[in-house]
Amino acid sequence: MKGVLIILCWMSWVTLFAQDYVISRPQKISSKITEFEFIGKTDEGLLVHKFGPRVNMIEAFDLEDLSLKWYRDLELRGKRTRIVEIVEHKNELVLVYWYQEKRVVRLFAQKLNSQLKVVKNEVLLDEFKRGLGDPNFEYSLEHDKTRKYFVIQKKIKDTLGDDSAACIFMNENLKKIGTKVFPIEENERYIESFIQEDGSYCFVKGKVKRSFFSDGDLFNTVSIIKYNPTANTTQETKLSHDTYLFNGFRSEWDTLNDRLVIGGFYSERQESEVNGYFYIFVDFAKEEPTIKKIFTPFSKEILKKMAKKGLFGGTQEHDYLQYVEIRKLILRSDGGAILIGESHSKVSPNNDLRPSVFDSRLGSRGQVMVQYFYDDVLLISIDPNGEMDWGEILKKQQYSENDRGYFSSIGFVNTRASIHLLFNETLSKNAALNDFRIDKDGDYRIRNIFNANEFKLNLAPRYAQQLSATEVIMPAFNQRNEFLLVKFVY
């Protein structure tokens, strides 16, 4: 599920939790289907893409009662066809996919209507021949929030990671408007990229800091390249700090103030030890971008609230938080933001290199046990100057084994009046779904909004998708391992 810019406009406080819910009929899942994704709302209803190595199927669910209206296979050329992404736009579907015939790889885009009938024939975007021993590649797709501009990114991967990213720029009519290669140097990592509403593209990469005290990717320098494919112009700026290292972060384009906003966490030595948060503005209005950087250590209050309990009782307090990962950066209409992180760690005797699949919720009992921990959630409200308005903690403890944390973590709902974090109260079977609702002043309430035990369901909040300001859809499974959808209405 792709991140998009959501401007949070705080409104007058109202008591608002999910007031109603709808549950679809259970479905048996074919062993040929390994993954799924929500496409979005159309005139045909809510479209869901279910797929596997040789299967691509679209289902349409009624938006009111979630009844299944129809399901159809996507008719695509070639047996080894891989869909990069399906994007809903103005009740049509932009479909980007590639297939390999012998050694030749071809990338196409085409348009379908909501009934899967062809609106615009396929357009060839890329073609190359793979030789024996050539490095692997991976296509991905980004679009602006209005879905007028698209970037298909082809990352060439060597044994140490990404080697380069070749980008193809396309408009909503599937017209190719340019290409550009972004090199990724030694000890650099691709971090993220996004498109502005005018079609400009931001490519973010970081230089990895390696030391005996670092157990993951920490960046001592972050490079941001802003490229305009229409004018073929490039601006680049580098971010660094004399003392701190960049940990996880998110970038969003602030359309109201016409600037790039970057928010995240920093560390002093180890990735697992997070010492504070940062908030950065980058203004590209001038030829040489101007930068404002604010690094703020965590307050004693936050450190105390998130302190871990010791093995023999009591709490272990440090000047850092452990294993906090960035989850969300939500821009406020006044130029501030909400920064959300979650305490997450994984314990495994070996690196977990198995591919992520739809059925990971079942685990693998015959393999070495991998333990997943999803604990407290940190919320920080940042004012327009980058200073902290307030900080709050959602206390939770979630533990599972060999399931990649499928039913753990949190889902997000932004009703514009408040932010809601949805999470399972426990990870036992048929756990209750809780709603952590917080307002503009940091006041929060937690309420149970769905008794999963009544319906014998296990919900997966982390895969929830917001359909509108008042609707969110969430996958679930029953005791017979059948797939269901649950829609909550606010």
Side-chain angles (χ1 to χ4, degrees):
M1 182 176 57
K2 301 294 182 180
V4 297
L5 174 63
I6 302 177
I7 298 293
L8 176 65
C9 300
W10 290 117
M11 301 170 66
S12 59
W13 174 255
V14 292
T15 301
L16 183 62
F17 282 101
Q19 302 297 313
D20 198 8
Y21 56 83
V22 181
I23 305 174
S24 71
R25 292 179 62 87
Q27 294 178 305
K28 292 184 178 180
I29 302 296
S30 167
S31 60
K32 296 180 180 180
I33 294 175
T34 58
E35 300 179 67
F36 82 100
E37 62 180 355
F38 296 119
I39 297 175
K41 296 169 64 174
T42 69
D43 289 347
E44 288 294 298
L46 170 67
L47 298 189
V48 178
H49 176 208
K50 294 180 179 176
F51 55 101
R54 295 180 181 271
V55 178
N56 280 288
M57 182 176 67
I58 304 295
E59 296 179 335
F61 292 85
D62 184 272
L63 288 169
E64 296 299 322
D65 61 11
L66 290 185
S67 61
L68 180 62
K69 298 174 64 176
W70 53 258
Y71 62 92
R72 295 165 190 163
D73 291 328
L74 278 173
E75 297 181 1
L76 303 172
R77 62 166 71 199
K79 294 183 178 180
R80 298 182 61 186
T81 301
R82 304 289 181 85
I83 291 180
V84 178
E85 193 159 338
I86 304 173
V87 179
E88 186 278 326
H89 177 48
K90 296 180 179 178
N91 205 42
E92 295 179 341
L93 306 180
V94 176
L95 173 62
V96 178
Y97 65 94
W98 65 271
Y99 81 99
Q100 183 172 332
E101 187 176 24
K102 295 183 178 179
R103 294 186 182 177
V104 178
V105 175
R106 295 182 176 92
L107 176 75
F108 291 95
Q110 70 175 152
K111 271 191 179 182
L112 309 175
N113 65 17
S114 57
Q115 297 178 329
L116 306 190
K117 295 181 179 179
V118 175
V119 175
K120 186 175 180 62
N121 290 328
E122 58 188 17
V123 176
L124 180 64
L125 297 174
D126 190 29
E127 182 178 10
F128 67 96
K129 186 175 182 179
R130 296 191 70 188
L132 292 175
D134 282 357
N136 292 327
F137 70 95
E138 179 183 74
Y139 284 114
S140 60
L141 182 141
E142 303 282 351
H143 57 77
D144 72 307
K145 67 175 184 177
T146 64
R147 292 169 168 81
K148 291 182 179 179
Y149 297 97
F150 299 83
V151 175
I152 299 96
Q153 187 182 97
K154 180 173 67 178
K155 290 196 286 290
I156 305 299
K157 309 176 81 65
D158 60 23
T159 55
L160 297 177
D162 299 330
D163 182 61
S164 66
C167 293
I168 302 167
F169 298 86
M170 178 182 75
N171 64 19
E172 61 182 329
N173 296 318
L174 310 189
K175 181 180 178 181
K176 191 174 177 179
I177 57 179
T179 61
K180 186 173 178 63
V181 175
F182 296 86
I184 301 174
E185 306 295 341
E186 185 179 0
N187 291 331
E188 286 187 335
R189 296 286 186 274
Y190 165 80
I191 299 176
E192 61 179 353
S193 58
F194 58 93
I195 313 173
Q196 297 171 227
E197 291 185 38
D198 65 355
S200 296
Y201 178 67
C202 285
F203 183 87
V204 184
K205 61 181 181 177
K207 188 173 182 180
V208 178
K209 171 68 174 179
R210 292 294 184 191
S211 74
F212 292 111
F213 301 103
S214 178
D215 53 6
D217 283 350
L218 292 172
F219 304 102
N220 53 17
T221 303
V222 172
S223 298
I224 302 168
I225 304 170
K226 184 172 182 285
Y227 176 69
N228 186 321
T230 304
N232 193 27
T233 57
T234 302
Q235 292 174 284
E236 182 173 359
T237 186
K238 295 181 182 295
L239 307 176
S240 61
H241 193 280
D242 293 337
T243 305
Y244 304 135
L245 299 169
F246 296 95
N247 207 303
F249 60 87
R250 292 287 186 273
S251 305
E252 298 284 1
W253 189 263
D254 183 352
T255 55
L256 297 179
N257 297 287
D258 197 27
R259 64 186 182 183
L260 178 66
V261 175
I262 305 171
F265 303 112
Y266 69 84
S267 299
E268 294 181 2
R269 296 193 309 171
Q270 300 184 51
E271 181 195 26
S272 60
E273 298 178 0
V274 182
N275 298 93
Y277 73 91
F278 62 85
Y279 199 55
I280 299 175
F281 309 135
V282 183
D283 187 350
F284 288 95
K286 299 180 180 179
E287 184 175 346
E288 185 68 27
T290 57
I291 303 171
K292 181 179 180 182
K293 298 182 291 186
I294 301 162
F295 287 75
T296 306
F298 292 127
S299 66
K300 291 183 179 180
E301 181 183 8
I302 288 179
L303 293 171
K304 186 175 181 179
K305 284 183 178 180
M306 289 192 71
K308 300 291 183 180
K309 290 185 177 180
L311 182 63
F312 301 104
T315 57
Q316 298 174 323
E317 293 188 27
H318 304 282
D319 59 353
Y320 57 82
L321 301 179
Q322 289 186 300
Y323 301 106
V324 175
E325 298 179 354
I326 184 72
R327 290 289 180 260
K328 205 84 167 175
L329 174 67
I330 305 175
L331 301 188
R332 296 179 357 189
S333 58
D334 63 356
I338 305 293
L339 187 64
I340 301 176
E342 183 177 26
S343 178
H344 164 57
S345 60
K346 180 181 73 173
V347 178
S348 171
N350 301 300
N351 290 330
D352 190 6
L353 300 177
R354 293 169 297 158
S356 178
V357 297
F358 185 67
D359 279 330
S360 62
R361 66 192 185 280
L362 300 178
S364 299
R365 301 305 178 192
Q367 297 187 8
V368 175
M369 184 176 69
V370 182
Q371 300 170 299
Y372 296 90
F373 300 85
Y374 288 83
D375 297 326
D376 298 347
V377 178
L378 169 65
L379 300 94
I380 297 176
S381 180
I382 305 170
D383 70 19
N385 296 317
E387 303 299 328
M388 188 174 75
D389 275 337
W390 49 258
E392 197 49 75
I393 310 295
L394 161 59
K395 301 292 292 184
K396 67 179 180 68
Q397 287 185 321
Q398 296 174 324
Y399 168 81
S400 61
E401 300 171 0
N402 290 354
D403 68 345
R404 293 184 177 272
Y406 196 91
F407 300 103
S408 300
S409 197
I410 49 179
F412 296 90
V413 181
N414 179 0
T415 64
R416 299 178 69 86
S418 54
I419 291 175
H420 299 250
L421 306 183
L422 307 179
F423 65 101
N424 285 321
E425 185 174 38
T426 67
L427 292 189
S428 59
K429 288 186 177 180
N430 314 319
L433 184 72
N434 284 351
D435 186 336
F436 174 94
R437 174 183 51 80
I438 193 164
D439 72 356
K440 63 182 179 64
D441 298 317
D443 295 326
Y444 69 88
R445 297 180 185 177
I446 301 177
R447 179 179 171 184
N448 173 265
I449 61 170
F450 185 77
N451 184 2
N453 186 56
E454 180 181 346
F455 301 96
K456 307 301 179 184
L457 297 180
N458 291 331
L459 286 83
R462 66 185 302 177
Y463 299 108
Q465 180 168 313
Q466 190 164 349
L467 301 177
S468 69
T470 59
E471 299 170 297
V472 63
I473 193 82
M474 185 180 301
F477 293 87
N478 64 16
Q479 292 181 325
R480 294 184 295 275
N481 199 34
E482 295 171 319
F483 179 75
L484 302 93
L485 298 175
V486 183
K487 184 179 74 170
F488 297 94
V489 182
Y490 285 82

